[in-house]
Amino acid sequence: MEKLITVDNIRFKDRSLVPIWEKVRSGERIGMKDGARLFETEDFAAVGRMADHVKSNRSGDKVFFVINRHINPTNVCALSCSFCDFAKKKGDPDAYEMSNEEILDLIDDETTEVHIVGGHHPDWPFERYEGIVKAIHERFPEKQIKAFTASEIDYFSRRWKVPPEEALARFKAAGLRSMPGGGAEVFSDRVQEQLRFSGKAGAERWLEIHRIAHRMGIRSNATILYGHIETYDERARHLMMLRELQDETEGFLAFIPLEYQVGDTRVVTRHATPFDDLKMIAAARLMLDNFPHIKAYWVMIHEETAAVALNFGADDMDGTIGRERIAHAAKAKSPAGMARDRIVRLIRDAGRTPVERDALYNELRVYN
Ligand code: V47
C-alpha cells in the first residue's frame, strides 16, 4: 500500500508536494516548477488542503459575493477567436446590439455592481462605449461600473486610435470604477496562434493595459482560460506573470479561472473535470500569494464544484449575475443567474460565512 505522510494535519499521498508545502508554510514563494507540479499531481486532496490553509489564514471563513448584473451590449465582434461561441458577425441571425435604454432596463435597485463586457464591434465608435458608461452613471450614480476588458481597451486603441491612457481616463470620467479580468486567455504565443486569437492583445499588451489602469487608480481582475490545449507549464507561467505585475502595482483584486466551455467551438471535445477545476483554483491560491481574492466562478464550473471550491482556496463566488451570455452561448448548463438566497445557502452549505460585498470588496452585510 502507498505510504501516506502527514505534515500539519495534511495527509500527503504524493510526497513530491511536501517541499511545496514547506515553502508555503514558511512564507517562501513557490516557483514555476512547483506550480506545474500542483496541476500534475493526482493528490488533489492535499493540494486543496494546502490552499484551504492559505485561504483560511487570509480571510477566515468568509466567502464574498456581490449583487451584480452582467451586461453584454453587443455580440458583434471583429475578432474570430476559435474558442468563443458568443461572438457573431454583422448580419448573422443571432447577432444583437442593445440600445442604452435596453441596457438601463436591465439594472434594478438591488444591483450593486454592473459588469460590462462585449464584442469588439467594428462600427461602434469609442463614443458609443463611453456613452454606455455615462448613461448608466447618470441614471444610477451609486452603482459601481466594472467595464471593458484589456482586450476591448486594446481594440479601441487600434480601431479608433484612442490610446489606453486616454480611453481609461475618459471611461473613469464617465463613471467607470474598475475593470474585469477577461481577454487574458493564456499567456502563451503557442496557444494564441493555435486558437487564432492573434488579432487580440497578447500577454505583454494585456499586462501593460492593466499596469496603466492600476497607475490611474483603477483596480482590476485577472483571468485564465483553461481546460483546452494549454500545458501545465503554460498555466504556471501565466500565474507567475500575473504575480509579477501584482508585485509591481498591487492593483488586482481577484483572479478568476474560466473553464473552457466546449459548446459548438469544440477546441477539445471534453470539459475539464471537477478535479482539474479544483486544482486550478487551489494552485492559483497557492501561487498568487499577492492576490487578495480567488473566485469560484459558478457559471463555468457549476454550483456544485463552486461550492466545493470554497474549501479549496476560493473566497469569492462572484455574484447573482442576472443573465449570463458568454458561457451560455457555449451551452453552459449552469443557470443564467442565481438568486441571493441561493448563493447564501451554497456558501453556508460549504461551511463558510457569506459576506455580501461591493465591487471593491467593501463588506456590505455579513450573513451570520
Ligand atoms: O474574455 C470566451 C472568456 C471572458 C469562452 O472580472 C470563454 O470579475 C470559457 O471576463 N469558455 C469573459 N470562457 C468573461 C469574463 C469574466 C467573467 C466573470 C467575472 C469576471 C471578472 C470576468 O470569457 C472572455 C473570454 O476569455 N470566454 N469564450 C468559452 N467558450
Side-chain angles (χ1 to χ4, degrees), residues 70 83-86 115 117 146 149 179-185 200 221-223 225 256 258-262 265 295 297 300 318 326-327 330:
H70 278 206
F83 55 83
C84 183
D85 264 318
F86 171 73
H115 164 118
V117 171
K146 176 179 81 180
T149 62
M179 274 172 73
E185 321 316 355
K200 200 171 195 171
N221 292 336
T223 57
L225 180 71
I256 308 122
L258 302 173
E259 187 214 83
Y260 168 61
Q261 305 295 299
V262 175
T265 59
K295 276 190 197 179
Y297 188 42
M300 296 198 183
D318 198 87
I326 297 174

PDB file of all heavy atoms in Angstrom, residues 70 83-86 115 117 146 149 179-185 200 221-223 225 256 258-262 265 295 297 300 318 326-327 330, ligand 1:
ATOM      1  N   HIS A  70     -24.596  41.226 -15.126  1.00  0.00           N
ATOM      2  CA  HIS A  70     -23.705  41.155 -16.285  1.00  0.00           C
ATOM      3  C   HIS A  70     -24.449  41.696 -17.497  1.00  0.00           C
ATOM      4  O   HIS A  70     -25.570  41.256 -17.778  1.00  0.00           O
ATOM      5  CB  HIS A  70     -23.303  39.706 -16.582  1.00  0.00           C
ATOM      6  CG  HIS A  70     -22.167  39.208 -15.740  1.00  0.00           C
ATOM      7  ND1 HIS A  70     -21.330  38.198 -16.144  1.00  0.00           N
ATOM      8  CD2 HIS A  70     -21.717  39.595 -14.528  1.00  0.00           C
ATOM      9  CE1 HIS A  70     -20.415  37.978 -15.202  1.00  0.00           C
ATOM     10  NE2 HIS A  70     -20.637  38.812 -14.205  1.00  0.00           N
ATOM     11  N   PHE A  83     -12.251  29.736 -29.747  1.00  0.00           N
ATOM     12  CA  PHE A  83     -12.889  29.130 -28.571  1.00  0.00           C
ATOM     13  C   PHE A  83     -14.209  29.810 -28.210  1.00  0.00           C
ATOM     14  O   PHE A  83     -14.874  29.424 -27.254  1.00  0.00           O
ATOM     15  CB  PHE A  83     -11.940  29.212 -27.354  1.00  0.00           C
ATOM     16  CG  PHE A  83     -11.476  30.622 -27.080  1.00  0.00           C
ATOM     17  CD1 PHE A  83     -12.254  31.494 -26.355  1.00  0.00           C
ATOM     18  CD2 PHE A  83     -10.257  31.067 -27.571  1.00  0.00           C
ATOM     19  CE1 PHE A  83     -11.842  32.798 -26.130  1.00  0.00           C
ATOM     20  CE2 PHE A  83      -9.829  32.365 -27.349  1.00  0.00           C
ATOM     21  CZ  PHE A  83     -10.623  33.238 -26.619  1.00  0.00           C
ATOM     22  N   CYS A  84     -14.573  30.875 -28.936  1.00  0.00           N
ATOM     23  CA  CYS A  84     -15.666  31.730 -28.477  1.00  0.00           C
ATOM     24  C   CYS A  84     -16.940  31.506 -29.289  1.00  0.00           C
ATOM     25  O   CYS A  84     -16.964  31.704 -30.500  1.00  0.00           O
ATOM     26  CB  CYS A  84     -15.223  33.198 -28.572  1.00  0.00           C
ATOM     27  SG  CYS A  84     -16.467  34.345 -27.959  1.00  0.00           S
ATOM     28  N   ASP A  85     -18.012  31.107 -28.603  1.00  0.00           N
ATOM     29  CA  ASP A  85     -19.314  30.912 -29.247  1.00  0.00           C
ATOM     30  C   ASP A  85     -20.158  32.175 -29.174  1.00  0.00           C
ATOM     31  O   ASP A  85     -21.196  32.275 -29.834  1.00  0.00           O
ATOM     32  CB  ASP A  85     -20.093  29.807 -28.502  1.00  0.00           C
ATOM     33  CG  ASP A  85     -19.942  28.452 -29.164  1.00  0.00           C
ATOM     34  OD1 ASP A  85     -19.992  28.407 -30.403  1.00  0.00           O
ATOM     35  OD2 ASP A  85     -19.779  27.460 -28.441  1.00  0.00           O
ATOM     36  N   PHE A  86     -19.726  33.093 -28.327  1.00  0.00           N
ATOM     37  CA  PHE A  86     -20.523  34.297 -28.078  1.00  0.00           C
ATOM     38  C   PHE A  86     -20.468  35.246 -29.273  1.00  0.00           C
ATOM     39  O   PHE A  86     -21.485  35.795 -29.704  1.00  0.00           O
ATOM     40  CB  PHE A  86     -19.988  34.976 -26.802  1.00  0.00           C
ATOM     41  CG  PHE A  86     -20.552  36.335 -26.535  1.00  0.00           C
ATOM     42  CD1 PHE A  86     -21.863  36.480 -26.093  1.00  0.00           C
ATOM     43  CD2 PHE A  86     -19.781  37.474 -26.714  1.00  0.00           C
ATOM     44  CE1 PHE A  86     -22.399  37.747 -25.852  1.00  0.00           C
ATOM     45  CE2 PHE A  86     -20.294  38.736 -26.463  1.00  0.00           C
ATOM     46  CZ  PHE A  86     -21.605  38.867 -26.034  1.00  0.00           C
ATOM     47  N   HIS A 115     -21.475  44.837 -14.488  1.00  0.00           N
ATOM     48  CA  HIS A 115     -20.299  44.257 -15.149  1.00  0.00           C
ATOM     49  C   HIS A 115     -20.556  44.295 -16.656  1.00  0.00           C
ATOM     50  O   HIS A 115     -21.541  43.723 -17.128  1.00  0.00           O
ATOM     51  CB  HIS A 115     -20.147  42.818 -14.610  1.00  0.00           C
ATOM     52  CG  HIS A 115     -19.268  41.904 -15.390  1.00  0.00           C
ATOM     53  ND1 HIS A 115     -18.133  41.342 -14.848  1.00  0.00           N
ATOM     54  CD2 HIS A 115     -19.368  41.395 -16.641  1.00  0.00           C
ATOM     55  CE1 HIS A 115     -17.568  40.542 -15.743  1.00  0.00           C
ATOM     56  NE2 HIS A 115     -18.300  40.554 -16.835  1.00  0.00           N
ATOM     57  N   VAL A 117     -19.052  43.593 -20.478  1.00  0.00           N
ATOM     58  CA  VAL A 117     -18.060  43.016 -21.387  1.00  0.00           C
ATOM     59  C   VAL A 117     -18.801  42.715 -22.680  1.00  0.00           C
ATOM     60  O   VAL A 117     -19.944  42.274 -22.634  1.00  0.00           O
ATOM     61  CB  VAL A 117     -17.511  41.679 -20.813  1.00  0.00           C
ATOM     62  CG1 VAL A 117     -16.654  40.966 -21.834  1.00  0.00           C
ATOM     63  CG2 VAL A 117     -16.710  41.894 -19.546  1.00  0.00           C
ATOM     64  N   LYS A 146     -18.086  48.143 -13.513  1.00  0.00           N
ATOM     65  CA  LYS A 146     -16.848  47.403 -13.794  1.00  0.00           C
ATOM     66  C   LYS A 146     -16.921  47.050 -15.273  1.00  0.00           C
ATOM     67  O   LYS A 146     -17.756  46.232 -15.666  1.00  0.00           O
ATOM     68  CB  LYS A 146     -16.823  46.131 -12.941  1.00  0.00           C
ATOM     69  CG  LYS A 146     -15.636  45.234 -13.218  1.00  0.00           C
ATOM     70  CD  LYS A 146     -15.642  44.006 -12.328  1.00  0.00           C
ATOM     71  CE  LYS A 146     -16.561  42.950 -12.868  1.00  0.00           C
ATOM     72  NZ  LYS A 146     -16.627  41.725 -12.088  1.00  0.00           N
ATOM     73  N   THR A 149     -12.766  44.768 -20.883  1.00  0.00           N
ATOM     74  CA  THR A 149     -11.534  44.003 -20.673  1.00  0.00           C
ATOM     75  C   THR A 149     -10.371  44.726 -21.358  1.00  0.00           C
ATOM     76  O   THR A 149     -10.585  45.574 -22.243  1.00  0.00           O
ATOM     77  CB  THR A 149     -11.659  42.601 -21.308  1.00  0.00           C
ATOM     78  OG1 THR A 149     -11.852  42.760 -22.717  1.00  0.00           O
ATOM     79  CG2 THR A 149     -12.811  41.821 -20.711  1.00  0.00           C
ATOM     80  N   MET A 179     -12.100  47.346 -13.638  1.00  0.00           N
ATOM     81  CA  MET A 179     -12.083  46.588 -14.897  1.00  0.00           C
ATOM     82  C   MET A 179     -12.189  45.091 -14.646  1.00  0.00           C
ATOM     83  O   MET A 179     -11.555  44.572 -13.725  1.00  0.00           O
ATOM     84  CB  MET A 179     -10.739  46.803 -15.614  1.00  0.00           C
ATOM     85  CG  MET A 179     -10.665  48.026 -16.493  1.00  0.00           C
ATOM     86  SD  MET A 179      -8.948  48.201 -17.039  1.00  0.00           S
ATOM     87  CE  MET A 179      -8.807  46.859 -18.223  1.00  0.00           C
ATOM     88  N   PRO A 180     -12.945  44.375 -15.492  1.00  0.00           N
ATOM     89  CA  PRO A 180     -12.981  42.917 -15.369  1.00  0.00           C
ATOM     90  C   PRO A 180     -11.686  42.293 -15.891  1.00  0.00           C
ATOM     91  O   PRO A 180     -10.870  42.966 -16.525  1.00  0.00           O
ATOM     92  CB  PRO A 180     -14.174  42.524 -16.250  1.00  0.00           C
ATOM     93  CG  PRO A 180     -14.322  43.627 -17.238  1.00  0.00           C
ATOM     94  CD  PRO A 180     -13.765  44.880 -16.603  1.00  0.00           C
ATOM     95  N   GLY A 181     -11.544  41.003 -15.678  1.00  0.00           N
ATOM     96  CA  GLY A 181     -10.263  40.352 -15.970  1.00  0.00           C
ATOM     97  C   GLY A 181     -10.222  39.550 -17.248  1.00  0.00           C
ATOM     98  O   GLY A 181      -9.251  38.831 -17.489  1.00  0.00           O
ATOM     99  N   GLY A 182     -11.239  39.643 -18.076  1.00  0.00           N
ATOM    100  CA  GLY A 182     -11.317  38.801 -19.274  1.00  0.00           C
ATOM    101  C   GLY A 182     -10.285  39.164 -20.324  1.00  0.00           C
ATOM    102  O   GLY A 182      -9.550  40.150 -20.206  1.00  0.00           O
ATOM    103  N   GLY A 183     -10.241  38.328 -21.357  1.00  0.00           N
ATOM    104  CA  GLY A 183      -9.369  38.590 -22.508  1.00  0.00           C
ATOM    105  C   GLY A 183      -7.934  38.155 -22.299  1.00  0.00           C
ATOM    106  O   GLY A 183      -7.131  38.250 -23.224  1.00  0.00           O
ATOM    107  N   ALA A 184      -7.595  37.655 -21.119  1.00  0.00           N
ATOM    108  CA  ALA A 184      -6.204  37.239 -20.874  1.00  0.00           C
ATOM    109  C   ALA A 184      -5.933  35.905 -21.568  1.00  0.00           C
ATOM    110  O   ALA A 184      -4.812  35.639 -22.023  1.00  0.00           O
ATOM    111  CB  ALA A 184      -5.941  37.117 -19.380  1.00  0.00           C
ATOM    112  N   GLU A 185      -6.958  35.071 -21.646  1.00  0.00           N
ATOM    113  CA  GLU A 185      -6.863  33.706 -22.202  1.00  0.00           C
ATOM    114  C   GLU A 185      -5.673  32.984 -21.575  1.00  0.00           C
ATOM    115  O   GLU A 185      -5.659  32.828 -20.382  1.00  0.00           O
ATOM    116  CB  GLU A 185      -6.793  33.746 -23.739  1.00  0.00           C
ATOM    117  CG  GLU A 185      -7.680  34.792 -24.438  1.00  0.00           C
ATOM    118  CD  GLU A 185      -9.117  34.959 -23.936  1.00  0.00           C
ATOM    119  OE1 GLU A 185      -9.560  34.219 -23.066  1.00  0.00           O
ATOM    120  OE2 GLU A 185      -9.813  35.874 -24.411  1.00  0.00           O
ATOM    121  N   LYS A 200      -5.691  39.681 -31.130  1.00  0.00           N
ATOM    122  CA  LYS A 200      -6.094  40.160 -29.820  1.00  0.00           C
ATOM    123  C   LYS A 200      -4.859  40.537 -29.016  1.00  0.00           C
ATOM    124  O   LYS A 200      -3.777  39.996 -29.284  1.00  0.00           O
ATOM    125  CB  LYS A 200      -6.771  38.968 -29.141  1.00  0.00           C
ATOM    126  CG  LYS A 200      -7.673  39.277 -28.018  1.00  0.00           C
ATOM    127  CD  LYS A 200      -8.395  37.993 -27.649  1.00  0.00           C
ATOM    128  CE  LYS A 200      -9.577  38.285 -26.778  1.00  0.00           C
ATOM    129  NZ  LYS A 200     -10.414  37.107 -26.585  1.00  0.00           N
ATOM    130  N   ASN A 221      -9.374  42.886 -12.319  1.00  0.00           N
ATOM    131  CA  ASN A 221      -9.277  41.443 -12.086  1.00  0.00           C
ATOM    132  C   ASN A 221      -8.426  40.805 -13.173  1.00  0.00           C
ATOM    133  O   ASN A 221      -8.074  41.457 -14.156  1.00  0.00           O
ATOM    134  CB  ASN A 221     -10.669  40.811 -12.116  1.00  0.00           C
ATOM    135  CG  ASN A 221     -11.518  41.246 -10.938  1.00  0.00           C
ATOM    136  OD1 ASN A 221     -10.983  41.638  -9.889  1.00  0.00           O
ATOM    137  ND2 ASN A 221     -12.820  41.205 -11.102  1.00  0.00           N
ATOM    138  N   ALA A 222      -8.132  39.528 -12.980  1.00  0.00           N
ATOM    139  CA  ALA A 222      -7.375  38.782 -13.985  1.00  0.00           C
ATOM    140  C   ALA A 222      -8.016  37.411 -14.142  1.00  0.00           C
ATOM    141  O   ALA A 222      -8.623  36.896 -13.197  1.00  0.00           O
ATOM    142  CB  ALA A 222      -5.917  38.636 -13.543  1.00  0.00           C
ATOM    143  N   THR A 223      -7.885  36.840 -15.346  1.00  0.00           N
ATOM    144  CA  THR A 223      -8.458  35.510 -15.609  1.00  0.00           C
ATOM    145  C   THR A 223      -7.428  34.615 -16.301  1.00  0.00           C
ATOM    146  O   THR A 223      -6.389  35.089 -16.756  1.00  0.00           O
ATOM    147  CB  THR A 223      -9.675  35.614 -16.568  1.00  0.00           C
ATOM    148  OG1 THR A 223      -9.255  36.254 -17.776  1.00  0.00           O
ATOM    149  CG2 THR A 223     -10.828  36.375 -15.960  1.00  0.00           C
ATOM    150  N   LEU A 225      -8.073  31.297 -19.206  1.00  0.00           N
ATOM    151  CA  LEU A 225      -8.996  30.378 -19.873  1.00  0.00           C
ATOM    152  C   LEU A 225      -8.279  29.028 -19.931  1.00  0.00           C
ATOM    153  O   LEU A 225      -7.245  28.914 -20.595  1.00  0.00           O
ATOM    154  CB  LEU A 225      -9.290  30.895 -21.287  1.00  0.00           C
ATOM    155  CG  LEU A 225     -10.235  30.059 -22.140  1.00  0.00           C
ATOM    156  CD1 LEU A 225     -11.660  30.155 -21.629  1.00  0.00           C
ATOM    157  CD2 LEU A 225     -10.188  30.526 -23.600  1.00  0.00           C
ATOM    158  N   ILE A 256      -9.762  34.958 -11.543  1.00  0.00           N
ATOM    159  CA  ILE A 256     -10.913  34.118 -11.877  1.00  0.00           C
ATOM    160  C   ILE A 256     -10.514  33.098 -12.940  1.00  0.00           C
ATOM    161  O   ILE A 256     -10.337  33.445 -14.115  1.00  0.00           O
ATOM    162  CB  ILE A 256     -12.080  34.970 -12.441  1.00  0.00           C
ATOM    163  CG1 ILE A 256     -12.391  36.121 -11.504  1.00  0.00           C
ATOM    164  CG2 ILE A 256     -13.336  34.132 -12.673  1.00  0.00           C
ATOM    165  CD1 ILE A 256     -12.272  37.471 -12.138  1.00  0.00           C
ATOM    166  N   LEU A 258     -11.342  30.634 -15.731  1.00  0.00           N
ATOM    167  CA  LEU A 258     -12.512  30.420 -16.597  1.00  0.00           C
ATOM    168  C   LEU A 258     -12.349  29.074 -17.293  1.00  0.00           C
ATOM    169  O   LEU A 258     -11.465  28.915 -18.143  1.00  0.00           O
ATOM    170  CB  LEU A 258     -12.622  31.526 -17.660  1.00  0.00           C
ATOM    171  CG  LEU A 258     -12.715  32.972 -17.169  1.00  0.00           C
ATOM    172  CD1 LEU A 258     -12.643  33.945 -18.348  1.00  0.00           C
ATOM    173  CD2 LEU A 258     -13.991  33.211 -16.363  1.00  0.00           C
ATOM    174  N   GLU A 259     -13.172  28.123 -16.907  1.00  0.00           N
ATOM    175  CA  GLU A 259     -13.093  26.792 -17.544  1.00  0.00           C
ATOM    176  C   GLU A 259     -13.645  26.890 -18.967  1.00  0.00           C
ATOM    177  O   GLU A 259     -14.773  27.388 -19.158  1.00  0.00           O
ATOM    178  CB  GLU A 259     -13.914  25.774 -16.738  1.00  0.00           C
ATOM    179  CG  GLU A 259     -13.738  24.360 -17.236  1.00  0.00           C
ATOM    180  CD  GLU A 259     -15.001  23.526 -17.100  1.00  0.00           C
ATOM    181  OE1 GLU A 259     -15.890  23.596 -17.986  1.00  0.00           O
ATOM    182  OE2 GLU A 259     -15.097  22.793 -16.099  1.00  0.00           O
ATOM    183  N   TYR A 260     -12.881  26.422 -19.937  1.00  0.00           N
ATOM    184  CA  TYR A 260     -13.330  26.458 -21.325  1.00  0.00           C
ATOM    185  C   TYR A 260     -14.653  25.695 -21.477  1.00  0.00           C
ATOM    186  O   TYR A 260     -14.758  24.533 -21.069  1.00  0.00           O
ATOM    187  CB  TYR A 260     -12.250  25.837 -22.238  1.00  0.00           C
ATOM    188  CG  TYR A 260     -12.753  25.564 -23.632  1.00  0.00           C
ATOM    189  CD1 TYR A 260     -13.217  26.605 -24.437  1.00  0.00           C
ATOM    190  CD2 TYR A 260     -12.805  24.267 -24.135  1.00  0.00           C
ATOM    191  CE1 TYR A 260     -13.720  26.353 -25.714  1.00  0.00           C
ATOM    192  CE2 TYR A 260     -13.295  24.006 -25.407  1.00  0.00           C
ATOM    193  CZ  TYR A 260     -13.761  25.056 -26.185  1.00  0.00           C
ATOM    194  OH  TYR A 260     -14.262  24.806 -27.438  1.00  0.00           O
ATOM    195  N   GLN A 261     -15.647  26.390 -22.055  1.00  0.00           N
ATOM    196  CA  GLN A 261     -16.951  25.775 -22.317  1.00  0.00           C
ATOM    197  C   GLN A 261     -16.939  25.267 -23.755  1.00  0.00           C
ATOM    198  O   GLN A 261     -16.751  26.050 -24.691  1.00  0.00           O
ATOM    199  CB  GLN A 261     -18.077  26.793 -22.128  1.00  0.00           C
ATOM    200  CG  GLN A 261     -18.072  27.474 -20.766  1.00  0.00           C
ATOM    201  CD  GLN A 261     -18.344  26.516 -19.622  1.00  0.00           C
ATOM    202  OE1 GLN A 261     -19.407  25.891 -19.561  1.00  0.00           O
ATOM    203  NE2 GLN A 261     -17.398  26.395 -18.694  1.00  0.00           N
ATOM    204  N   VAL A 262     -17.158  23.994 -23.920  1.00  0.00           N
ATOM    205  CA  VAL A 262     -16.933  23.348 -25.216  1.00  0.00           C
ATOM    206  C   VAL A 262     -17.888  23.857 -26.308  1.00  0.00           C
ATOM    207  O   VAL A 262     -17.472  24.180 -27.424  1.00  0.00           O
ATOM    208  CB  VAL A 262     -17.045  21.815 -25.058  1.00  0.00           C
ATOM    209  CG1 VAL A 262     -16.951  21.120 -26.409  1.00  0.00           C
ATOM    210  CG2 VAL A 262     -15.944  21.306 -24.121  1.00  0.00           C
ATOM    211  N   THR A 265     -17.725  25.239 -30.428  1.00  0.00           N
ATOM    212  CA  THR A 265     -16.381  25.514 -30.951  1.00  0.00           C
ATOM    213  C   THR A 265     -15.499  24.265 -30.872  1.00  0.00           C
ATOM    214  O   THR A 265     -14.643  24.065 -31.724  1.00  0.00           O
ATOM    215  CB  THR A 265     -15.707  26.688 -30.207  1.00  0.00           C
ATOM    216  OG1 THR A 265     -15.620  26.370 -28.813  1.00  0.00           O
ATOM    217  CG2 THR A 265     -16.460  27.985 -30.416  1.00  0.00           C
ATOM    218  N   LYS A 295     -11.740  33.718  -7.218  1.00  0.00           N
ATOM    219  CA  LYS A 295     -13.171  33.452  -7.424  1.00  0.00           C
ATOM    220  C   LYS A 295     -13.431  32.029  -7.890  1.00  0.00           C
ATOM    221  O   LYS A 295     -12.721  31.525  -8.773  1.00  0.00           O
ATOM    222  CB  LYS A 295     -13.725  34.356  -8.534  1.00  0.00           C
ATOM    223  CG  LYS A 295     -14.137  35.727  -8.093  1.00  0.00           C
ATOM    224  CD  LYS A 295     -14.895  36.439  -9.220  1.00  0.00           C
ATOM    225  CE  LYS A 295     -14.940  37.934  -8.931  1.00  0.00           C
ATOM    226  NZ  LYS A 295     -15.631  38.697  -9.982  1.00  0.00           N
ATOM    227  N   TYR A 297     -15.975  30.726 -10.067  1.00  0.00           N
ATOM    228  CA  TYR A 297     -16.980  31.302 -10.973  1.00  0.00           C
ATOM    229  C   TYR A 297     -17.991  30.214 -11.317  1.00  0.00           C
ATOM    230  O   TYR A 297     -17.782  29.395 -12.215  1.00  0.00           O
ATOM    231  CB  TYR A 297     -16.269  31.839 -12.209  1.00  0.00           C
ATOM    232  CG  TYR A 297     -17.155  32.637 -13.129  1.00  0.00           C
ATOM    233  CD1 TYR A 297     -18.077  33.550 -12.622  1.00  0.00           C
ATOM    234  CD2 TYR A 297     -17.070  32.489 -14.506  1.00  0.00           C
ATOM    235  CE1 TYR A 297     -18.888  34.289 -13.461  1.00  0.00           C
ATOM    236  CE2 TYR A 297     -17.873  33.228 -15.351  1.00  0.00           C
ATOM    237  CZ  TYR A 297     -18.784  34.112 -14.823  1.00  0.00           C
ATOM    238  OH  TYR A 297     -19.596  34.843 -15.657  1.00  0.00           O
ATOM    239  N   MET A 300     -19.192  28.799 -14.863  1.00  0.00           N
ATOM    240  CA  MET A 300     -18.428  27.894 -15.726  1.00  0.00           C
ATOM    241  C   MET A 300     -18.103  26.556 -15.083  1.00  0.00           C
ATOM    242  O   MET A 300     -17.922  25.566 -15.789  1.00  0.00           O
ATOM    243  CB  MET A 300     -17.161  28.591 -16.218  1.00  0.00           C
ATOM    244  CG  MET A 300     -17.552  29.782 -17.101  1.00  0.00           C
ATOM    245  SD  MET A 300     -16.263  30.404 -18.142  1.00  0.00           S
ATOM    246  CE  MET A 300     -17.069  31.808 -18.925  1.00  0.00           C
ATOM    247  N   ASP A 318     -18.285  35.298  -7.008  1.00  0.00           N
ATOM    248  CA  ASP A 318     -18.793  36.257  -7.992  1.00  0.00           C
ATOM    249  C   ASP A 318     -20.166  36.727  -7.498  1.00  0.00           C
ATOM    250  O   ASP A 318     -20.239  37.244  -6.387  1.00  0.00           O
ATOM    251  CB  ASP A 318     -18.855  35.696  -9.420  1.00  0.00           C
ATOM    252  CG  ASP A 318     -18.955  36.834 -10.428  1.00  0.00           C
ATOM    253  OD1 ASP A 318     -17.908  37.351 -10.848  1.00  0.00           O
ATOM    254  OD2 ASP A 318     -20.075  37.253 -10.775  1.00  0.00           O
ATOM    255  N   ILE A 326     -22.063  34.718 -22.153  1.00  0.00           N
ATOM    256  CA  ILE A 326     -20.857  34.226 -22.840  1.00  0.00           C
ATOM    257  C   ILE A 326     -20.730  32.709 -22.703  1.00  0.00           C
ATOM    258  O   ILE A 326     -20.624  31.988 -23.698  1.00  0.00           O
ATOM    259  CB  ILE A 326     -19.599  34.963 -22.330  1.00  0.00           C
ATOM    260  CG1 ILE A 326     -19.721  36.457 -22.677  1.00  0.00           C
ATOM    261  CG2 ILE A 326     -18.320  34.367 -22.940  1.00  0.00           C
ATOM    262  CD1 ILE A 326     -18.634  37.348 -22.134  1.00  0.00           C
ATOM    263  N   ALA A 327     -20.800  32.229 -21.465  1.00  0.00           N
ATOM    264  CA  ALA A 327     -20.712  30.776 -21.262  1.00  0.00           C
ATOM    265  C   ALA A 327     -21.968  30.087 -21.789  1.00  0.00           C
ATOM    266  O   ALA A 327     -21.904  28.960 -22.290  1.00  0.00           O
ATOM    267  CB  ALA A 327     -20.531  30.472 -19.782  1.00  0.00           C
ATOM    268  N   ALA A 330     -22.070  29.156 -25.219  1.00  0.00           N
ATOM    269  CA  ALA A 330     -21.322  27.904 -25.397  1.00  0.00           C
ATOM    270  C   ALA A 330     -21.981  26.770 -24.605  1.00  0.00           C
ATOM    271  O   ALA A 330     -21.318  25.836 -24.160  1.00  0.00           O
ATOM    272  CB  ALA A 330     -19.867  28.101 -24.983  1.00  0.00           C
TER     273      ALA A 330
HETATM  274  O1  V47 B   1     -12.744  37.366 -22.198  1.00  0.00           O
HETATM  275  C1  V47 B   1     -14.998  33.260 -24.185  1.00  0.00           C
HETATM  276  C2  V47 B   1     -13.959  34.040 -21.980  1.00  0.00           C
HETATM  277  C3  V47 B   1     -14.313  36.023 -20.979  1.00  0.00           C
HETATM  278  C4  V47 B   1     -15.387  31.203 -23.705  1.00  0.00           C
HETATM  279  O2  V47 B   1     -13.525  40.074 -13.898  1.00  0.00           O
HETATM  280  C5  V47 B   1     -14.858  31.836 -22.580  1.00  0.00           C
HETATM  281  O3  V47 B   1     -14.991  39.551 -12.379  1.00  0.00           O
HETATM  282  C6  V47 B   1     -14.996  29.886 -21.394  1.00  0.00           C
HETATM  283  O4  V47 B   1     -14.152  38.245 -18.444  1.00  0.00           O
HETATM  284  N1  V47 B   1     -15.473  29.214 -22.452  1.00  0.00           N
HETATM  285  C7  V47 B   1     -15.378  36.970 -20.460  1.00  0.00           C
HETATM  286  N2  V47 B   1     -14.664  31.190 -21.432  1.00  0.00           N
HETATM  287  C8  V47 B   1     -15.756  36.646 -19.024  1.00  0.00           C
HETATM  288  C9  V47 B   1     -15.012  37.498 -18.058  1.00  0.00           C
HETATM  289  C10 V47 B   1     -15.363  37.475 -16.619  1.00  0.00           C
HETATM  290  C11 V47 B   1     -16.312  36.592 -16.147  1.00  0.00           C
HETATM  291  C12 V47 B   1     -16.641  36.633 -14.792  1.00  0.00           C
HETATM  292  C13 V47 B   1     -16.046  37.524 -13.931  1.00  0.00           C
HETATM  293  C14 V47 B   1     -15.104  38.407 -14.432  1.00  0.00           C
HETATM  294  C15 V47 B   1     -14.496  39.407 -13.525  1.00  0.00           C
HETATM  295  C16 V47 B   1     -14.736  38.373 -15.774  1.00  0.00           C
HETATM  296  O5  V47 B   1     -14.900  34.761 -21.237  1.00  0.00           O
HETATM  297  C17 V47 B   1     -13.681  36.363 -22.270  1.00  0.00           C
HETATM  298  C18 V47 B   1     -13.039  35.042 -22.644  1.00  0.00           C
HETATM  299  O6  V47 B   1     -11.795  34.935 -22.024  1.00  0.00           O
HETATM  300  N3  V47 B   1     -14.619  33.105 -22.922  1.00  0.00           N
HETATM  301  N4  V47 B   1     -15.464  32.102 -24.692  1.00  0.00           N
HETATM  302  C19 V47 B   1     -15.693  29.806 -23.620  1.00  0.00           C
HETATM  303  N5  V47 B   1     -16.182  29.114 -24.659  1.00  0.00           N
END
